[in-house]
Amino acid sequence: MSLVLYIYYKVMIVRTKDPLTQDYLNSKSKVFLGSFIFFFGINQYMFYETRLSLFIGILFLALGIFQTKEGWKAAKHYRNEFQKHQASVQS
């Protein structure tokens, strides 16, 4: 599901011309990419259950958490800017 949403937001970035909207959608796509990487790391360890897959899984978990956290912060910032922009456009 997170991979599908990541692809969806990436396609929406290409379809829009507004740079603020592109930044907002890009930050949302980073959240879903991070969740995909996080759950992929868990899945790989559960599937193989070896020491190597544990280390790779931990690496994927850390990267996924970092990506999700950064995307969440950026989405929060751009959400406020996007709402201000939408309000000014509607006025």
Side-chain angles (χ1 to χ4, degrees):
M1 184 66 153
S2 59
L3 182 63
V4 170
L5 287 171
Y6 169 72
I7 293 170
Y8 170 77
Y9 282 114
K10 284 298 187 180
V11 169
M12 292 303 292
I13 289 170
V14 174
R15 295 182 70 189
T16 185
K17 301 290 184 219
D18 182 33
L20 180 61
T21 306
Q22 288 178 345
D23 289 338
Y24 178 58
L25 293 173
N26 190 36
S27 63
K28 288 179 81 170
S29 71
K30 285 181 182 183
V31 171
F32 292 112
L33 177 63
S35 67
F36 173 72
I37 293 170
F38 177 82
F39 290 116
F40 185 76
I42 292 173
N43 183 38
Q44 288 305 303
Y45 176 67
M46 298 298 273
F47 185 71
Y48 291 110
E49 295 183 4
T50 64
R51 187 176 296 233
L52 178 62
S53 68
L54 175 64
F55 292 132
I56 293 171
I58 290 171
L59 177 66
F60 275 35
L61 290 174
L63 288 173
I65 289 170
F66 176 75
Q67 186 78 10
T68 302
K69 187 177 113 178
E70 291 299 313
W72 188 270
K73 285 183 356 185
K76 188 175 176 182
H77 169 73
Y78 286 121
R79 183 182 316 123
N80 294 334
E81 296 298 320
F82 184 72
Q83 288 171 349
K84 289 177 191 176
H85 178 69
Q86 291 295 357
S88 69
V89 170
Q90 290 177 354
S91 296

